[in-house]
Amino acid sequence: MANNTDGIDPALLGLLQNEVKMSRTKSWSGIETAAYYGPDKRDVDYDTKLGNPGEYPYTRGAYPEMYRSRMWTLRNIVGYGAPEDTREGLLKTIAAGGNGINVVGDPPTTQGIDPDHPAIGPEVGLEGCSLPTMRDMERLLAGVDLAKIDTAWHWSTTAYALVAAVHSHRGQSLNTLQGSNMPDMLQETLSGWGQKVVPAAFGHRNAVDQIEFCTANSPKWALGIPQAYDLRERGLSPAGEIAVGMAIVIKTMEDLVVRGVSIDRAAAGIAWVSISDVDFFEEVAKFRALRRFWARTMKERFGATDTRALRLRIACHTSGRSLVYKQPLNNLTRTAIQSLAALCGGVQSLEACTYDEPVCVPTHEARDLAIRQQQILANEIGAARVADPLGGSWYIESLTDTVEAEAVAMLEKIEKIGVIEAVTNGYIEQIMDDYNLTVQRELDLNERIVVGVNQFVPENDPVPTRFRFDPTNTRIHLQRFSELKQQRDRTSWEAALRHLHDTARGGGNCTQASIDALIADVTVGELWGTLRVANGYAYDPYGAVEAPIRYNA
Amino acid sequence: MTVRCLLGMLGTDVHSKGIRTLAQVLRDAGIEVIYLGEHNSVAGMVRAVIDEDADIIGLSFSSAAYLEYIRQFVTAMRENGVGSVPLMIGGLIHPDDHLPLQEMGISGIFGPGSRMDAIIDFVRNKGGSLQ
Amino acid sequence: MNGIPPRAAAVLAGDHRMAGRLITIAEAGDTDIEPELGVLYRAGGSSRIIGITGPPGAGKSTFLDCLISRLRSLKRRIAVLAIDPSSPLSGGAVLGDRVRMQRHAEDRGIFIRSMAARGALGGLAHAAGDAVTILDAMAFDDIIIETVGVGQSETDILGLADIVILMQTAHGGDGIQSVKAGILEIADIIVVNKADTVGTDRMIRTLQEMVAHRIQTAAGWDTPVLPTEATNGAGIDAVLDAIDAFYRCRGANREATMQRDRRRMRARILTLAQAALRHRINILTEPSLLAAIDAVISRVMEPREALKLLVFPANS
């Protein structure tokens, strides 16, 4: 975070000020605590399976002091309508205490579809911010120095290219660019996007391109992979999260190593995007097993030696799927415990769902409560005081081992098929569908009780508020988009598009060409469609739009 | 008579785990599910209703764009002579929209908190029609 | 159009909706449409009827999706009958082939119908034959029947298709053991999909050897074994060429073709007989059926006696 606040939009100063702080290391009653607790005598088991926090295999935590040296980042997500709309929501969040900008793009943007696509008009700006061009990204980030302020983007490859394009266009060097996004496209194929929107091999290649590029050019840009939050929500157990996530990571690392990136560099820039589901103990066990699995894999399989490669950082978002529609205030209980699990599990960043998540687009009041919840956890509950507070519990250690063992078995089966094939041929999809069917059956038979769903169901439904935003800005945005397409410099636009196509055809890394294309006013839909064509797919996955040029002409 | 139920989603929506699970639950209840998955266009889905002679259609939505899509879909169904096929909607449907949806001819609305057995009964009875 | 039942007339005029409706009625075993089927059958005979079968996971739907694209680019009008197994426990089914052909969803030159096997032994729905009759009368250039190769007799497809394409892959490491003897004997074209899989070359060679040693499915026809990668369309053109060549061969060998068609029709009529019998028993009211079954269990009756009583009652 910056010390120098000159030249920054005053409304954004809030970003730099309201961190979640550690206010005391004493317990509430005044007992002083240590950074962590362990056995009086360390035995071989402890050394090989656990280690102290910050020690290989990092089961007990990535850092020795954990939250004493650095609290988790408090983030909240914004994103709706046109760039101007999101900017407004963004500023309100900062005023409430969030210190990281976290933006979600609307489905067309995240799928690489332009807002003027004939079939998806009703969806523009509804679930996130419409950001189809570099200029729109510039509008959103006006006054935000990307070298000083950490921006997190909740989608995959085009997010980095758009932000990098803005940064470059401002004359700044990419190696000063701060922020993060989630270049995991295999997860998208699995989580409902399907082969139609993200063909597995194509998506994966793109993800590896971005990671290779960032590792070399934007070392301060964090890469969230795997995006295991969506994988879990789609339908996986904690062991499944580790197995499928590691399958994706291993394949990605192998591809990067083939391209000449050292494993130490590649793995160091990665953070695992995880989830905290509703079983407190199972999730704590999962985070621990995950770190151990990661460390051992990096060391034994890839020969990594750098601490930063061996020690996994975890970003966590509490589960939306676990929240219940009826009597939504109960979700405050759920999210608080899930957040506590994440902290006992040692995550580096935490986003909690709002209690009204299943009911409506989060109200500002609900957002406030979500932030206060974390501040209560930090200051009153003592959640951050001690690293791995549940370490040494017989239950937790047993669960940790069991989750790990299940993950090992699942991963073996996936690797036998090959992860790309397992994604393409429906093997992993079937695991997920089976998981969901089991859960549904158990709910129907009352073998699994969820309060407000199959037991203790209140008579009355909640009254959802409606998130209404003025569509005026979106209309202007669409108009402006259309005008841009008319008025942009056609020569440089076309040259950029051809160069992108040719780079992709030639098997090269497409990230720089993507950035250059966006600077030349190529739209996100044109960018993605061109890459698709170069890889042998139809320009538009929805089959309604033709390519804007003939690439082989 | 075996009921043939078409299940699918329109637009960019990726949240299909609900209809995937529903497809299997309906199968286990003896229904033949014609599963169309994600990313269908209105025109494409209407063609499916015609060729498949569906007894009942289920559309699932997790985005707030559903009113507009449903309007387009109902219009297209009528224009293509299949306006009488019962239609049920599931997903994140806001209570304020129940009335406009019913006025459009939607006979089954299964918003958040709906029970599987209610949906199964609805489908088995083809939305309560006398077919 | 004197004397033609209006529903048949609608189908002959190309009404997809009516065709869909009639297929549903046929599936229900409703004899109400026999007059229509009579008219439509007589009007048909111009479509190529192509059967595609093979184990689950072979990529049939993806292959079919490619095939349709190619055929459509040649301006051919296509009908697809995608048949999936019914759950033996519940009788329901998830029919998920159509979803893989989504890019053709708006193409009016295509008709796609999903069907559940509904307990048919070979995995082929009883009403499939009627569906073919209905679609054939609409002058589609190609009617493609896709079935999953499960159960004892995939050979049911012989009763319907002019040409049988078997799809396999080298996946699963089972190799040749996974290819069931029965289906190999009737395959006119064998496609080895996912040709980029390790073991494909070996599988192709083994299959070539096996077909060389068995009886030809058609006079003058050597069953080719063709590699494809349906995900990118590689090898599809060779399959199309083989299909065309097969039909030329049919045309050039009239007598042999006639023999084969006779075998096909015989199989079709036997299938209809089975269906009729099954229908006859199914429409019996519960009590009489139960009474007969109980009588057999308590050995008051031998099973065949019960059958005669149920199906050919003395006073019918």
Side-chain angles (χ1 to χ4, degrees):
Chain A
M1 295 288 170
N3 299 313
N4 176 10
T5 58
D6 291 350
I8 295 174
D9 186 329
L12 294 169
L13 277 178
L15 269 180
L16 307 177
Q17 280 156 10
N18 286 316
E19 276 185 315
V20 184
K21 288 191 156 67
M22 168 88 69
S23 50
R24 62 191 275 133
T25 56
K26 288 183 189 167
S27 75
W28 203 247
S29 74
I31 301 172
E32 188 54 77
T33 64
Y36 67 90
Y37 291 81
D40 297 327
K41 276 208 177 62
R42 295 170 62 139
D43 60 9
V44 170
D45 235 20
Y46 184 85
D47 286 342
T48 52
K49 288 177 69 176
L50 299 178
N52 288 337
E55 265 180 23
Y56 182 89
Y58 305 100
T59 314
R60 304 198 64 196
Y63 302 95
E65 294 280 298
M66 280 307 293
Y67 301 114
R68 292 185 183 210
S69 55
R70 185 169 169 165
M71 289 297 269
W72 68 95
T73 335
L74 195 157
R75 290 185 181 277
N76 255 307
I77 304 174
V78 287
Y80 55 90
E84 289 82 355
D85 297 316
T86 299
R87 191 176 162 78
E88 198 193 309
L90 201 139
L91 297 177
K92 280 184 184 155
T93 305
I94 293 155
N99 65 344
I101 300 185
N102 207 329
V103 183
V104 59
D106 70 354
T109 303
T110 63
Q111 291 186 11
I113 306 291
D114 281 336
D116 60 355
H117 190 285
I120 54 84
E123 298 186 65
V124 175
L126 274 192
E127 305 284 298
C129 186
S130 174
L131 292 161
T133 67
M134 181 208 65
R135 298 192 194 214
D136 290 303
M137 190 58 92
E138 271 178 338
R139 283 174 194 113
L140 178 64
L141 295 174
V144 177
D145 185 343
L146 297 165
K148 296 195 168 113
I149 295 192
D150 188 309
T151 59
W153 305 87
H154 263 242
W155 74 98
S156 49
T157 60
T158 56
Y160 172 75
L162 277 166
V163 179
V166 168
H167 199 62
S168 290
H169 197 230
R170 290 172 175 176
Q172 293 184 265
S173 164
L174 288 179
N175 67 13
T176 63
L177 180 60
Q178 276 205 70
S180 66
N181 79 316
M182 305 175 181
D184 177 0
M185 307 215 61
L186 287 175
Q187 166 279 124
E188 288 177 350
T189 312
L190 286 170
S191 300
W193 301 55
Q195 278 287 113
K196 172 166 166 151
V197 177
V198 183
F202 161 65
H204 179 68
R205 174 194 168 181
N206 217 272
V208 178
D209 275 0
Q210 191 210 318
I211 299 168
E212 182 189 14
F213 186 89
C214 283
T215 310
N217 299 291
S218 294
K220 293 186 184 177
W221 188 270
L223 303 159
I225 175 169
Q227 210 278 58
Y229 175 88
D230 274 354
L231 288 171
R232 287 288 300 277
E233 296 280 89
R234 167 69 177 87
L236 278 178
S237 64
E241 173 184 346
I242 298 177
V244 177
M246 284 307 298
I248 293 172
V249 163
I250 289 168
K251 173 77 175 120
T252 305
M253 293 297 124
E254 283 172 356
D255 291 349
L256 287 166
V257 164
V258 161
R259 292 186 188 202
V261 182
S262 84
I263 187 64
D264 283 326
R265 276 198 93 175
I270 304 270
W272 189 287
V273 179
S274 191
I275 193 172
S276 192
D277 199 353
V278 79
D279 187 322
F280 171 83
F281 302 97
E282 205 171 59
E283 291 303 314
V284 172
K286 176 211 74 189
F287 289 117
R288 304 171 89 245
L290 172 59
R291 274 190 301 269
R292 179 161 75 206
F293 207 123
W294 176 279
R296 284 184 177 162
T297 304
M298 290 305 151
K299 179 172 180 184
E300 292 166 17
R301 191 149 168 172
F302 289 98
T305 52
D306 190 328
T307 307
R308 285 166 302 175
L310 297 170
R311 149 197 87 201
L312 177 64
R313 291 170 300 150
I314 302 172
C316 180
H317 194 299
T318 66
S319 162
R321 175 179 171 163
S322 61
L323 302 185
V324 175
Y325 179 75
K326 295 205 177 182
Q327 203 167 47
L329 286 176
N330 285 333
N331 294 325
L332 284 168
T333 306
R334 295 184 175 100
T335 54
I337 305 289
Q338 287 163 343
S339 297
L340 182 60
L343 297 174
C344 291
V347 304
Q348 277 56 59
S349 87
L350 178 60
E351 290 162 4
C353 285
T354 56
Y355 77 85
D356 56 3
E357 157 97 22
V359 179
C360 52
V361 172
T363 55
H364 291 299
E365 184 230 11
R367 282 184 195 282
D368 255 3
L369 288 176
I371 294 175
R372 299 299 161 238
Q373 191 181 69
Q374 296 207 30
Q375 287 163 340
I376 291 168
L377 282 165
N379 293 295
E380 298 172 41
I381 309 297
R385 222 181 274 139
V386 174
D388 194 32
L390 302 184
S393 145
W394 293 301
Y395 180 31
I396 290 297
E397 295 303 345
S398 170
L399 267 183
T400 305
D401 292 346
T402 305
V403 168
E404 185 184 23
E406 266 180 40
V408 167
M410 270 184 78
L411 177 60
E412 219 174 276
K413 290 193 184 134
I414 293 171
E415 292 209 288
K416 223 173 171 181
I417 301 168
V419 71
I420 306 277
E421 176 66 20
V423 169
T424 313
N425 77 1
Y427 175 77
I428 299 178
E429 198 176 78
Q430 190 63 55
I431 293 174
M432 292 166 144
D433 288 342
D434 288 346
Y435 175 88
N436 290 334
L437 190 60
T438 302
V439 169
Q440 186 59 52
R441 283 197 180 125
E442 289 174 0
L443 283 170
D444 291 340
L445 295 170
N446 280 3
E447 285 170 15
R448 184 184 288 251
I449 304 296
V450 178
V451 174
V453 169
N454 59 354
Q455 260 190 42
F456 315 114
V457 183
E459 285 294 313
N460 306 315
D461 278 342
V463 180
T465 58
R466 237 163 164 174
F467 182 72
R468 292 206 179 282
F469 67 92
D470 188 342
T472 308
N473 283 335
T474 305
R475 272 198 295 271
I476 296 172
H477 168 72
L478 283 166
Q479 175 85 10
R480 195 167 56 194
F481 179 78
S482 167
E483 279 162 17
L484 176 70
K485 295 209 317 192
Q486 309 293 335
Q487 292 161 5
R488 62 191 164 184
D489 181 330
R490 203 185 154 88
T491 313
S492 58
W493 167 82
E494 187 166 335
L497 215 53
R498 286 194 190 286
H499 176 63
L500 178 67
H501 176 265
D502 296 343
T503 307
R505 283 292 282 166
N509 188 314
C510 300
T511 312
Q512 188 62 56
S514 297
I515 293 170
D516 295 338
L518 290 166
I519 292 174
D521 287 327
V522 167
T523 68
V524 159
E526 290 163 350
L527 176 84
W528 202 243
T530 301
L531 288 173
R532 286 177 59 97
V533 168
N535 279 268
Y537 298 99
Y539 178 80
D540 172 25
Y542 295 90
V545 176
E546 299 281 319
I549 62 170
R550 297 193 55 198
Y551 300 96
N552 298 315
Chain B
M1 262 245 305
T2 319
V3 175
R4 288 166 59 84
C5 173
L6 200 90
L7 284 185
M9 299 172 73
L10 295 168
T12 67
D13 204 337
V14 298
H15 297 92
S16 55
K17 65 174 183 287
I19 51 162
R20 282 168 182 268
T21 304
L22 180 61
Q24 297 181 88
V25 168
L26 287 177
R27 175 203 58 204
D28 291 345
I31 311 285
E32 284 174 2
V33 178
I34 301 146
Y35 180 74
L36 293 194
E38 316 90 359
H39 313 309
N40 292 282
S41 66
V42 166
M45 204 170 251
V46 172
R47 296 227 59 75
V49 172
I50 292 170
D51 289 356
E52 299 284 358
D53 188 34
D55 291 313
I56 180 169
I57 305 159
L59 295 179
S60 171
F61 293 92
S62 76
S63 103
Y66 59 81
L67 263 185
E68 180 51 36
Y69 274 129
I70 292 170
R71 233 171 248 138
Q72 289 179 15
F73 186 72
V74 168
T75 305
M77 292 265 288
R78 290 197 184 125
E79 284 170 0
N80 282 273
V82 283
S84 61
V85 181
L87 180 57
M88 65 177 182
I89 309 288
L92 302 180
I93 312 298
H94 197 283
D96 289 356
D97 292 328
H98 284 206
L99 192 55
L101 285 171
Q102 279 153 7
E103 281 166 6
M104 276 192 243
I106 311 299
S107 44
I109 300 174
F110 296 100
S114 297
R115 291 191 59 93
M116 279 287 167
D117 46 16
I119 301 175
I120 294 171
D121 281 342
F122 189 83
V123 172
R124 275 203 178 123
N125 293 319
K126 296 184 203 178
S129 77
L130 291 168
Q131 277 210 341
Chain C
M1 285 205 187
N2 275 345
I4 292 186
R7 289 189 294 190
V11 169
L12 289 168
D15 183 348
H16 280 216
R17 173 108 174 96
M18 186 55 71
R21 273 268 74 227
L22 290 186
I23 293 174
T24 305
I25 297 173
E27 280 191 283
D30 202 328
T31 52
D32 175 41
I33 56 164
E34 273 175 15
E36 281 82 354
L37 288 176
V39 169
L40 294 173
Y41 187 80
R42 287 171 176 81
S46 57
S47 310
R48 302 197 301 190
I49 303 172
I50 301 168
I52 302 181
T53 187
K60 292 188 294 302
S61 297
T62 313
F63 171 80
L64 190 46
D65 179 56
C66 274
L67 204 66
I68 293 171
S69 288
R70 285 295 208 284
L71 291 168
R72 286 298 292 143
S73 71
L74 297 168
K75 302 286 185 254
R76 295 178 75 82
R77 292 176 57 243
I78 318 290
V80 177
L81 216 50
I83 304 175
D84 273 327
S86 296
S87 159
L89 298 171
S90 70
V94 176
L95 308 174
D97 293 312
R98 185 183 190 109
V99 71
R100 295 197 192 277
M101 298 177 247
Q102 210 180 42
R103 62 174 156 148
H104 305 289
E106 296 186 28
D107 187 343
R108 284 176 182 260
I110 303 179
F111 182 106
I112 303 176
R113 175 78 179 217
S114 314
M115 262 190 169
R118 293 193 186 172
L121 274 176
L124 201 63
H126 294 131
D130 293 335
V132 170
T133 298
I134 293 163
L135 295 168
D136 200 343
M138 293 173 83
F140 284 103
D141 296 299
D142 298 304
I143 299 170
I144 305 175
I145 306 169
E146 183 202 338
T147 78
V148 176
V150 291
Q152 300 305 311
S153 46
E154 295 92 326
T155 45
D156 262 11
I157 196 137
L158 267 184
L160 285 185
D162 304 322
I163 177 174
V164 175
I165 302 177
L166 170 67
M167 277 201 70
Q168 289 287 138
T169 63
H171 263 299
D174 295 331
I176 220 64
Q177 286 76 17
S178 65
V179 182
K180 299 208 205 112
I183 188 64
L184 198 60
E185 282 172 33
I186 66 164
D188 299 304
I189 296 177
I190 300 177
V191 172
V192 181
N193 194 29
K194 304 191 186 181
D196 50 334
T197 309
V198 168
T200 295
D201 286 336
R202 200 172 354 114
M203 180 158 237
I204 292 177
R205 280 195 302 273
T206 313
L207 286 166
Q208 280 168 339
E209 245 175 87
M210 289 174 77
V211 301
H213 284 113
R214 54 118 235 235
I215 303 169
Q216 281 181 332
T217 54
W221 180 254
D222 291 319
T223 295
V225 182
L226 304 170
T228 59
E229 280 175 64
T231 47
N232 62 26
I236 301 288
D237 285 331
V239 176
L240 278 174
D241 289 343
I243 294 172
D244 289 342
F246 181 84
Y247 276 91
R248 283 196 299 274
C249 189
R250 264 176 70 88
N253 293 279
R254 298 281 184 79
E255 188 51 44
T257 298
M258 189 56 160
Q259 294 295 5
R260 183 167 156 152
D261 284 351
R262 281 188 182 125
R263 282 198 300 276
R264 175 151 63 96
M265 279 311 139
R266 197 164 160 274
R268 172 114 178 240
I269 290 170
L270 277 173
T271 307
L272 276 172
Q274 270 179 8
L277 204 56
R278 184 181 280 260
H279 182 71
R280 189 74 180 266
I281 294 181
N282 282 346
I283 60 172
L284 288 170
T285 59
E286 267 292 296
S288 52
L289 191 54
L290 265 180
I293 291 173
D294 285 348
V296 172
I297 290 173
S298 56
R299 299 193 179 250
V300 166
M301 269 202 261
E302 194 267 345
R304 271 176 200 74
E305 291 161 20
L307 177 68
K308 277 200 192 130
L309 201 65
L310 287 173
V311 177
F312 308 112
N315 57 348
S316 72

